[in-house]
Amino acid sequence: MDGYAISSGATVDATLERPVTFLVQGTNAAGDEPLKLANEPIDGCYPCIEIMTGAQFPVSTSNTPFDACVKIEDTVPFGGKSEFQSRGFFLTRPVRLHANRRFAGGDMQKGGVIVKKGEMLCARHVMGLASVGITEVVVRRRLRVVVWTTGNELTREINGTRKNAQIFDSNGPFLAAALRETGAEVELKGVLRDEVESLEEALDSAEAATWDFILTTGAVSKGKFDFIVPALQRMRARIHFHGVAIRPGHPILFSTLDREHGGLPFFGLPGNPIATAACFRFFVVPFIRLLLDQHAECPEVVEVLMKNGGRDVFLASPSHLDCFKHGNLVTQPDGSKLIELSQNQSPAVISQYAMSNCWAHIPRGFTQGTGPIMVQCYPHTPHTD
């Protein structure tokens, strides 16, 4: 605070009837070396130093320290005029010990943590690091992810060249945006035709050595034109899993491709847009957090809001599967939170997912009791550590 460095002990008995008098002996501005003087009364008046915000406290050469700062507005100048305040003032009430005073090391101490391992470096961290003179830290580079979509029916052309049998590719732009929200660098490649050779040709690139992992969408099920698995087999990739007991997104696969410095991770996500979104949120995002040494997410546990058929949406969850349903997390007037599930949970229907803000995880084997239905709730955009 802008004010005066004083001895708090001198003000213990200060009252309106018995004010304590202080005489200004100098000024300490921010950045100045602290003044040194004896803190002893002279003719019943106590010495003080005018002090600006950010300045160091004066050093007492006697046994009584300067241990508090009184704000300018809490003083009564001699004669009641501010121009005399530079010479001295009265105090009519006690000032507590260490009032308006910060100690060196009172914020950050040697050995303390400013940024935790695995945290994404943000502006607030830079403030903390810079405040203690740290100008360099060891960081991981951004993950480099490459994305392909698959399907002869897909196009990204918007200039009138789209064929009647084609639809706009939504998965590619979605994944590129979602990956950037995690801090990754993304290269959104083209749409692969429904042929085994198309994946081999796409991955035959000198760039592959710079990729951290690959994402594709579509062509991972068991249809005639689902070519991702045969293509990976031809490339002698190691398929770690193909098919998971979830809804939506059960055809998801994860494999690794051989390269000089270890396996290149490859996620094959299903082609239905909402299945792509669910698999990205609950498989790819945890994988990214693992690569970045980030902690696992801790979801909120909230009650399902049972209106507009919400119970029917919930009960449509097979007990032998882990189910993920999108909806909206709302805060009630009393501060409690509820999740209202979207009515249409079809993996091909985008409109209601686009209007939602979270996912509800309904674990396999869940049995409904007589009380409220509680679920784990995850925001669409994951929180960064």
Side-chain angles (χ1 to χ4, degrees):
M1 293 288 181
D2 292 330
Y4 301 93
I6 65 169
S7 168
S8 62
T11 69
V12 171
D13 298 321
T15 63
L16 283 172
E17 294 75 23
R18 298 180 58 187
V20 179
T21 305
F22 288 88
L23 295 177
V24 178
Q25 302 295 306
T27 301
N28 261 14
D32 288 350
E33 289 295 320
L35 296 176
K36 297 180 180 180
L37 72 158
N39 191 0
E40 299 291 343
I42 302 174
D43 298 329
C45 298
Y46 291 89
C48 68
I49 295 293
E50 186 180 24
I51 191 169
M52 305 295 117
T53 300
Q56 292 191 50
F57 265 65
V59 176
S60 173
T61 58
S62 60
N63 292 329
T64 304
F66 294 96
D67 57 16
C69 173
V70 59
K71 295 184 290 185
I72 292 174
E73 52 267 37
D74 290 340
T75 63
V76 179
F78 290 163
K81 295 183 179 180
S82 60
E83 61 263 25
F84 294 107
Q85 198 168 14
S86 62
R87 296 207 310 253
F89 56 87
F90 300 114
L91 284 181
T92 59
R93 59 183 178 181
V95 176
R96 62 179 175 80
L97 178 66
H98 303 317
N100 304 313
R101 184 184 186 190
R102 294 197 185 106
F103 288 91
D107 185 6
M108 300 179 188
Q109 292 81 40
K110 185 176 181 179
V113 176
I114 300 175
V115 187
K116 296 178 182 178
K117 180 181 179 182
E119 285 190 282
M120 188 174 293
L121 200 62
C122 301
R124 67 181 187 275
H125 299 132
V126 174
M127 176 187 288
L129 294 167
S131 72
V132 293
I134 296 175
T135 58
E136 294 182 353
V137 292
V138 177
V139 298
R140 293 180 182 270
R141 62 167 173 77
R142 294 179 183 271
L143 293 176
R144 296 174 183 142
V145 188
V146 63
V147 177
W148 276 278
T149 49
T150 70
N152 296 340
E153 77 280 11
L154 297 182
T155 183
R156 295 182 192 151
E157 299 296 333
I158 58 174
N159 57 5
T161 61
R162 180 173 68 93
K163 299 176 183 178
N164 289 335
Q166 289 183 310
I167 59 174
F168 292 118
D169 174 24
S170 59
N171 286 341
F174 164 78
L175 288 173
L179 284 162
R180 291 187 183 108
E181 287 176 346
T182 71
E185 292 180 359
V186 187
E187 188 173 356
L188 179 57
K189 297 286 191 177
V191 178
L192 300 179
R193 63 187 183 277
D194 289 326
E195 299 174 3
V196 171
E197 295 78 13
S198 63
L199 182 62
E200 294 179 280
E201 293 170 3
L203 300 184
D204 184 18
S205 169
E207 296 177 282
T210 68
W211 300 336
D212 291 304
F213 65 94
I214 300 168
L215 285 181
T216 64
T217 67
V220 291
S221 193
K222 299 184 182 298
K224 182 177 181 179
F225 296 100
D226 290 331
F227 65 90
I228 292 294
V229 171
L232 291 173
Q233 290 171 338
R234 279 178 50 162
M235 291 185 285
R236 298 186 179 182
R238 181 182 177 188
I239 298 178
H240 299 273
F241 63 80
H242 180 205
V244 180
I246 62 171
R247 179 179 290 180
H250 67 90
I252 182 175
L253 70 80
F254 177 72
S255 68
T256 48
L257 297 159
D258 286 338
R259 64 177 177 180
E260 184 179 352
H261 301 294
L264 174 61
F266 180 105
F267 278 98
L269 307 184
N272 274 318
I274 311 309
T276 293
C279 289
F280 177 83
R281 186 65 181 86
F282 295 102
F283 287 87
V284 179
V285 168
F287 180 73
I288 289 173
R289 297 180 75 91
L290 183 67
L291 291 181
L292 298 178
D293 289 322
Q294 295 178 345
H295 297 295
E297 285 186 86
C298 293
E300 287 189 86
V301 177
V302 298
E303 181 181 348
V304 177
L305 179 60
M306 293 304 180
K307 73 174 188 178
N308 299 329
R311 184 173 295 273
D312 295 335
V313 174
F314 184 85
L315 292 178
S317 307
S319 61
H320 66 288
L321 300 176
D322 277 86
C323 293
F324 301 98
K325 297 182 180 294
H326 50 81
N328 282 287
L329 185 66
V330 295
T331 302
Q332 301 294 94
D334 63 358
S336 63
K337 294 182 179 180
L338 298 172
I339 182 171
E340 183 176 1
L341 300 178
S342 305
Q343 288 301 293
N344 195 328
Q345 296 287 335
S346 168
V349 174
I350 297 174
S351 57
Q352 293 195 25
Y353 170 75
M355 296 294 290
S356 64
N357 63 19
C358 65
W359 288 99
H361 176 206
I362 304 166
R364 74 185 72 182
F366 181 90
T367 56
Q368 180 183 344
T370 57
I373 295 177
M374 309 300 291
V375 296
Q376 292 180 333
C377 178
Y378 295 81
H380 282 327
T381 301
H383 299 301
T384 56
D385 283 349

